[in-house]
Amino acid sequence: MKERFARLGLIFLLGCVPVGVAGYECLYRPSTYPSELRVIDLTGVANSGTWTLEPVDGLNYWWKQFEPATLRLTLGERVLLRFHSADVYHQFYIPALDFGPFSVKPGTVTEAELNASQAGAFEYYCTYMCGGCHFYMRGWVIVTPEGEEPIEPDPIQCPICLPDFGERPTGDSVALGEFLYRQSGCGTCHGIEGEGGVANYNYVNDEVPSHDETATKIFLRSEEDAEVLLGLIEEGIDIGSLEDSPDIGGFAIVRARFQAAVDLIQQGKNAARMDLEGPEPPLQMPMWKYKLSNQDTAAIMGYFVSLYEWDEDE
Amino acid sequence: MQSRSSAPAKPKAWNWFRCVTFISVVFCCSLAGWFIAPTGDGGGAVREIEIISQQYGFVPHRLVVNQGDELRLHFASQDVVHGIFFEGYDTEAIVFPGKLDFQVRHPSVSDQYEYQTEVSFVVDQWGKFRYRCSVTCGALHPFMQGELVVLPNYPFWVGSGGLIGILLGALFWVWTDRRREVSPARPAWRLDLLHRFPVLNWLARRRWIQFALMAPGFAFFLLFLAAGFWGSPIGSRNIIITFVWILWWFLLITLLLPFGSRIWCAACPFPLFGDWYQRRRLLGVRKDVGRIWKGFKHWPKRFSNIWMQNLLFLSMCTFSALLVTRPVVSAFVLSLIVVAATVVALRFRYRSFCNYVCPVSGFLSLYSMASVVEVRPRDPVRCDSCRSKACRVGSEKGWGCPWAQTPGRLERNNYCGMCLECIKTCAGENMTVRARPFCSDVHIERFDEAWKAFIMISLALVYSVTLLGPWATVKSWANISEVGDWQGFSLYALIVWLGALAVIPAIWALSAWVGRALGREPSISVKTLFLRYSYLLVPLGLCAWVAFSFPLILVNFTHILATASDPMGWGWDLLGTAGISWSPLWPEYMVYIQIPILLLGLLFALKRGYGLAGELYRDRWKALGSLIPVSSSCVVILLVFLALFAG
């Protein structure tokens, strides 16, 4: 009799755990929200550089490349977004809807209600740097009026973070610059090969600056001058403090412009707003001085200079 | 050799004098430590310091400043959002990569953060403080820390003085030992707990008591597994990590083991299904209790030692940086242990898994020797004449000893799992649980047990470096799955294995060899001294582990409260404590807990060492000579711990 009681008790006790956990999460907790509110769970994953709709748990976190979320809403719908972080601090920001930025502390859930009051495709971003894949951490919220076909947004230039960029090249400073440009994720904002074209909401210039015309922006006059400059970078000479004028036309101004660009990369820059009352632009130039040395920055500048296609006739 | 059988005239007064002098010696040496502590240049300097965070360390990882200096600090992060919390100086910052300004708050003044580009304070307290990452920044976040040493570092120097003082005091103790012949210690006091506390007696005789401990334990274990596999991958927000590696570990090493021997083994849920299969009963006893082992095999003789436990534990601990930070790794390893425990029980007699395989059991066995309780016969002579041997084979009141021991002949705690079956089975009510002095079992009998002691002390050192140290490089070696630095990891693993299996044992062998020469007693072999004196590492190791474990709980206790309320890390709040923010408890006073524990470890190591030497050598000076090398090794090891904790 006692034995049977113990057996039943054991089975009951052990059964309580899965039933309790699943019941609380799947039945009880959803019932605490108003029924007309759609609840969407979004998890920030630094390793994949995504806000994802997929469940992230101990079993899949360590190996899986998570899919970036595309949120599809109907016009007029109210949704509750629950932000989780699977690792480090993230931020969620939809500048075009003036939604956020919401800081998402690892291990706690941040909730925010979103009213889909405007039709269109709106880009969302993570706005805290969260590791090597941070700059890839963006996606779309698509709001469609009831009954209409959903809009397909423009593809994001670098949608997937592949953090393996191979060995750091030695010797060739242009190759090193290109490597650092890709590794640091610069291409996600400035274009895969520096061509720009990435929109930055409410930024005075609309788009993030391109870098394939840096050579003229620092007033290099000819391909030969550019070659000399690249040679100097290759030799590891600090151009900003170079006293003797090398064989570069108008070197004083080239030097000043070059140094200004290096400083901008090292110190970072806040993107100025087009509409001063509007939301903060999501893409800001970070301060790179703790990640890139002066030499590294010069190598990146060399890469930019090498991107310019000189016109034969000039 | 002359011998005097009569005791000294006034033994009591004499012993008081010795005690007072001993304490004075320790006190004077500590005081000397206070006076020789380097004081720096008087302070008042302004120091501009930039601290850069990266997973999982700070650059610089150690700041040495003078009391009275003003620190002007700037912070930056290289990878993800980090925090920095200054123990003892009420300052916490959140640092954003790519940004010049950071958020600062003073937790005791305000919860709100303000953006700043500099934070400054005057270091007005001496000692060692740590700056810790205060924002979850990845797997090894809880161990990311740097050291702020404010000179004069009195705790370290006073503690070192205390260690030397105990060594000198011990010499004085031997010198004033009036017994010309050192005799084996007289039987120390014992307190029959079952006789003294009838409630305990009643409880110990209940058949349901072990089931009542194991069954809820297994339910918790299932919850831990669910959390490990399907809960948050963040360790500090997952109940399997906080409850197993912080709460359980701390309770085990500081309370259950020293004050309850292997009482954990009685409550451990892992053998639940194995026991059930073997006995076909959860509570009651079968009528054919004497014949339940028919069809079960004996554990092979070759493996009837704790070598397998030693090697499994060492292997497990090589990956400890993964084990204690990744919920899924913990869940996987714990499941593996349950499956192995059950499978072994299907085939082999007794608790073979617990006795010979379980990685936890090994160190419980070793340190249970130090425990203040024991299961023993009240009168061993009665056991000798006992015919039924019910404690071995079982009776209608209980099972035969599941640990394959003969309880009536128990002399050490090592292989007694405290299941209390023998208390139920003994018809003459001759078995009992007794309280006794700390470190009462003093004989390490086999090499596997000695090596367990070496492994444990090495691992305490390794963990104090990797988990409590400021060195990011070592952490990245140990953190192999994230960093992937196989070269570094191999080096780390090599150091761990060589240190535990070769270096520390070699130091002990050398000490035993020199000790034999100093003891001038050719009949006593190096092997004997080696085995006997490996016991010194039992009180020493246990105290080192306790000192190591205090920071774990005091720094991380808020995680325990948070995960109790949100076990899976899914955003639940069952108890209302899920949102509690991280705030360590007395982190600036940690060394004042750790140093006395280390001193206590040395005190017991030397005291028991002298007793052990006394059993081997008739002459106290010979005993002392044989003990000097190994005692010095103990002091050196403790000085290393002291330097890591407080230096």
Side-chain angles (χ1 to χ4, degrees):
Chain A
M1 183 59 203
K2 271 187 185 170
E3 192 64 26
R4 189 177 294 169
F5 188 69
R7 236 176 273 170
L8 283 175
L10 180 65
I11 290 163
F12 175 76
L13 197 63
L14 300 189
C16 270
V17 175
V19 172
V21 170
Y24 191 92
E25 177 67 12
C26 304
L27 297 174
Y28 172 72
R29 200 181 50 72
S31 76
T32 58
Y33 300 109
S35 56
E36 74 277 9
L37 205 60
R38 181 147 70 105
V39 179
I40 300 175
D41 284 271
L42 274 173
T43 310
V45 184
N47 279 347
S48 313
T50 49
W51 280 109
T52 186
L53 292 166
E54 296 173 86
V56 182
D57 57 38
L59 281 173
N60 61 17
Y61 175 78
W62 301 101
W63 54 270
K64 194 170 174 188
Q65 178 78 37
F66 291 92
E67 286 291 317
T70 303
L71 300 179
R72 293 173 194 280
L73 314 178
T74 322
L75 187 65
E77 192 183 14
R78 273 174 68 212
V79 291
L80 180 76
L81 297 179
R82 300 180 81 233
F83 302 110
H84 307 251
S85 162
D87 31 48
V88 299
Y89 252 108
H90 297 286
Q91 249 183 352
F92 187 88
Y93 185 29
I94 314 176
L97 296 176
D98 206 359
F99 183 72
F102 298 102
S103 295
V104 183
K105 191 178 172 181
T108 55
V109 178
T110 306
E111 296 186 346
E113 217 178 289
L114 177 64
N115 282 322
S117 52
Q118 211 182 326
F122 310 100
E123 202 166 4
Y124 67 77
Y125 301 86
C126 171
T127 35
Y128 275 158
M129 280 175 81
C130 58
C133 289
H134 159 71
F135 297 108
Y136 300 83
M137 199 160 169
R138 44 177 97 164
W140 293 101
V141 176
I142 297 166
V143 182
T144 321
E146 183 107 45
E148 285 184 25
E149 279 290 298
I151 325 158
E152 275 311 307
D154 302 335
I156 290 170
Q157 270 211 12
C158 306
I160 292 171
C161 176
L162 301 166
D164 187 15
F165 296 91
E167 288 282 303
R168 182 188 164 100
T170 47
D172 183 359
S173 69
V174 170
L176 174 65
E178 182 176 0
F179 169 81
L180 292 168
Y181 182 82
R182 290 181 196 286
Q183 190 197 40
S184 309
C186 310
T188 58
C189 292
H190 297 287
I192 294 172
E193 286 181 323
E195 71 276 21
V198 176
N200 193 10
Y201 190 84
N202 198 27
Y203 173 51
V204 282
N205 298 337
D206 285 327
E207 287 182 357
V208 181
S210 65
H211 284 306
D212 47 2
E213 289 181 348
T214 301
T216 57
K217 284 182 192 162
I218 62 170
F219 294 110
L220 283 171
R221 291 175 189 171
S222 67
E223 194 163 7
E224 288 70 35
D225 285 358
E227 292 295 326
V228 175
L229 185 76
L230 289 180
L232 292 173
I233 294 171
E234 187 80 60
E235 285 172 47
I237 290 166
D238 181 7
I239 292 167
S241 58
L242 196 59
E243 293 289 331
D244 316 324
S245 179
D247 193 11
I248 294 176
F251 179 68
I253 192 156
V254 170
R255 183 177 63 195
R257 300 284 294 183
F258 184 91
Q259 190 56 37
V262 167
D263 288 347
L264 195 150
I265 296 173
Q266 295 264 308
Q267 305 297 335
K269 193 182 178 194
N270 278 356
R273 295 177 203 208
M274 167 99 85
D275 170 9
L276 292 178
E277 304 296 311
E280 190 176 19
L283 304 175
Q284 310 270 347
M285 180 66 177
M287 175 174 74
W288 285 101
K289 68 172 171 179
Y290 296 105
K291 292 207 92 162
L292 300 171
S293 67
N294 272 326
Q295 291 270 2
D296 286 352
T297 315
I300 290 175
M301 286 297 291
Y303 168 61
F304 292 162
V305 168
S306 78
L307 287 175
Y308 186 68
E309 287 184 21
W310 296 93
D311 203 334
E312 294 290 323
D313 304 335
E314 263 186 71
Chain B
M1 190 162 59
Q2 61 179 142
S3 78
R4 205 166 54 177
S5 56
S6 65
K10 285 179 184 166
K12 215 164 191 181
W14 178 242
N15 276 338
W16 269 109
F17 163 72
R18 289 171 78 205
C19 282
V20 169
T21 316
F22 178 83
I23 292 168
S24 311
V25 169
V26 176
F27 181 77
C28 290
C29 289
S30 307
L31 206 63
W34 177 282
F35 285 111
I36 62 168
T39 51
D41 62 4
V46 174
R47 290 170 190 261
E48 291 262 347
I49 299 163
E50 187 170 60
I51 301 181
I52 299 168
S53 320
Q54 53 177 327
Q55 286 169 332
Y56 299 98
F58 296 97
V59 178
H61 67 273
R62 183 177 164 94
L63 292 172
V64 181
V65 299
N66 300 312
Q67 190 183 6
D69 283 355
E70 183 185 346
L71 303 189
R72 294 193 181 155
L73 300 167
H74 309 265
F75 306 123
S77 163
Q78 282 193 325
D79 37 35
V80 302
V81 180
H82 288 284
I84 184 164
F85 171 81
F86 282 86
E87 291 179 354
Y89 287 98
D90 197 33
T91 301
E92 185 186 349
I94 300 183
V95 188
F96 304 95
K99 287 191 179 156
L100 185 67
D101 47 357
F102 44 84
Q103 291 182 336
V104 180
R105 71 167 177 175
H106 304 288
S108 76
V109 182
S110 163
D111 275 352
Q112 298 304 312
Y113 290 93
E114 273 175 40
Y115 276 100
Q116 306 274 350
T117 52
E118 180 183 278
V119 62
S120 67
F121 52 81
V122 175
V123 283
D124 48 5
Q125 316 162 68
W126 38 253
K128 175 162 164 176
F129 306 88
R130 287 163 208 267
Y131 37 100
R132 298 176 183 278
C133 184
S134 58
V135 166
T136 302
C137 64
L140 261 63
H141 153 71
F143 307 115
M144 176 171 165
Q145 56 198 300
E147 300 175 341
L148 169 66
V149 178
V150 183
L151 299 179
N153 187 1
Y154 289 128
F156 171 68
W157 288 95
V158 169
S160 308
L163 283 177
I164 307 292
I166 288 178
L167 190 65
L168 295 179
L171 284 176
F172 165 80
W173 193 263
V174 177
W175 181 49
T176 55
D177 192 351
R178 285 226 180 146
R179 296 170 298 171
R180 279 303 163 84
E181 283 183 20
V182 188
S183 58
R186 65 197 149 85
W189 61 270
R190 294 289 191 275
L191 176 68
D192 192 327
L193 292 174
L194 298 192
H195 180 71
R196 180 79 180 71
F197 303 104
V199 183
L200 285 184
N201 189 38
W202 182 83
L203 265 180
R205 287 168 201 285
R206 294 310 102 190
R207 283 242 46 91
W208 47 259
I209 186 81
Q210 198 175 9
F211 178 70
L213 292 171
M214 288 166 94
F218 210 94
F220 270 106
F221 168 69
L222 287 187
L223 176 66
F224 296 164
L225 280 196
F229 287 127
W230 296 286
S232 167
I234 300 172
S236 56
R237 300 298 302 196
N238 192 308
I239 196 166
I240 190 172
I241 298 293
T242 59
F243 270 57
V244 175
W245 302 125
I246 306 176
L247 186 62
W248 171 78
W249 171 260
F250 179 77
L251 292 179
L252 182 72
I253 203 78
T254 61
L255 284 179
L256 296 180
L257 194 45
F259 299 104
S261 184
R262 302 188 64 170
I263 191 79
W264 167 254
C265 295
C268 174
F270 293 173
L272 179 64
F273 287 98
D275 280 1
W276 194 7
Y277 176 82
Q278 289 178 340
R279 297 169 173 176
R280 308 286 154 97
R281 295 283 188 282
L282 286 169
L283 296 174
V285 185
R286 264 155 60 184
K287 293 215 166 54
D288 57 343
V289 58
R291 291 190 300 277
I292 61 167
W293 298 121
K294 231 178 98 188
F296 289 95
K297 294 178 88 172
H298 282 283
W299 187 256
K301 260 255 137 24
R302 199 152 31 113
F303 299 115
S304 296
N305 49 53
I306 64 169
W307 278 115
M308 206 191 278
Q309 294 178 337
N310 286 349
L311 298 180
L312 280 176
F313 189 69
L314 198 52
S315 318
M316 206 169 98
C317 290
T318 311
F319 295 94
S320 62
L322 308 185
L323 184 66
V324 302
T325 57
R326 271 69 156 184
V328 68
V329 179
S330 290
F332 181 73
V333 169
L334 294 189
S335 329
L336 206 65
I337 292 180
V338 175
V339 170
T342 311
V343 168
V344 169
L346 298 184
R347 211 159 148 64
F348 295 99
R349 296 174 179 216
Y350 309 110
R351 285 272 188 102
S352 288
F353 177 82
C354 307
N355 256 335
Y356 308 117
V357 188
C358 174
V360 176
S361 168
F363 75 81
L364 293 181
S365 144
L366 180 80
Y367 290 147
S368 68
M369 299 173 83
S371 171
V372 296
V373 299
E374 61 183 14
V375 173
R376 293 286 187 281
R378 286 187 165 117
D379 177 7
V381 180
R382 272 174 65 200
C383 293
D384 290 340
S385 58
C386 171
R387 288 287 170 84
S388 75
K389 298 277 182 257
C391 59
R392 186 81 171 90
V393 296
S395 75
E396 76 282 0
K397 290 203 176 132
W399 305 98
C401 179
W403 293 77
Q405 305 292 304
T406 306
R409 296 226 179 86
L410 271 181
E411 284 177 342
R412 302 189 304 163
N413 277 357
N414 295 47
Y415 306 106
C416 163
M418 302 283 287
C419 64
L420 307 184
E421 286 297 325
C422 54
I423 290 174
K424 303 178 181 79
T425 49
C426 180
E429 299 204 353
N430 197 30
M431 294 301 298
T432 190
V433 181
R434 297 190 301 209
R436 60 178 197 179
F438 189 57
C439 292
S440 286
D441 298 334
V442 292
H443 293 134
I444 284 187
E445 287 170 358
R446 308 187 314 234
F447 281 117
D448 53 339
E449 294 169 355
W451 250 268
K452 185 82 224 174
F454 302 136
I455 290 172
M456 290 310 289
I457 197 81
S458 315
L459 287 176
L461 277 171
V462 167
Y463 283 6
S464 297
V465 171
T466 53
L467 304 185
L468 301 188
W471 301 284
T473 316
V474 184
K475 288 188 217 294
S476 73
W477 291 348
N479 186 20
I480 180 63
S481 84
E482 197 173 10
V483 181
D485 175 7
W486 284 100
Q487 255 179 347
F489 178 75
S490 310
L491 182 65
Y492 167 77
L494 194 73
I495 293 171
V496 174
W497 281 70
L498 271 185
L501 297 180
V503 176
I504 302 269
I507 293 173
W508 244 249
L510 189 69
S511 304
W513 185 71
V514 177
R516 179 172 180 269
L518 295 175
R520 303 188 314 277
E521 196 78 68
S523 64
I524 293 166
S525 67
V526 176
K527 180 187 157 186
T528 309
L529 284 185
F530 177 78
L531 277 179
R532 287 291 168 92
Y533 289 166
S534 64
Y535 179 77
L536 271 66
L537 288 177
V538 170
L540 201 77
L542 182 57
C543 288
W545 275 101
V546 171
F548 163 82
S549 302
F550 265 95
L552 294 186
I553 191 104
L554 295 186
V555 170
N556 296 310
F557 81 100
T558 50
H559 296 321
I560 298 173
L561 298 179
T563 49
S565 191
D566 181 14
M568 313 289 285
W570 285 342
W572 298 4
D573 197 357
L574 303 175
L575 311 173
T577 52
I580 191 168
S581 64
W582 177 81
S583 75
L585 187 66
W586 313 314
E588 63 271 37
Y589 304 120
M590 201 81 72
V591 291
Y592 303 106
I593 302 172
Q594 292 175 308
I595 293 174
I597 293 173
L598 292 180
L599 294 181
L600 200 71
L602 182 66
L603 191 70
F604 271 98
L606 297 186
K607 191 162 154 55
R608 296 297 179 241
Y610 187 49
L612 282 164
E615 287 177 7
L616 296 170
Y617 296 90
R618 294 161 64 92
D619 179 75
R620 65 188 155 123
W621 294 113
K622 288 183 174 178
L624 178 68
S626 80
L627 202 57
I628 280 178
V630 74
S631 311
S632 314
S633 306
C634 285
V635 173
V636 171
I637 288 178
L638 282 180
L639 280 173
V640 174
F641 275 108
L642 196 64
L644 289 170
F645 294 153

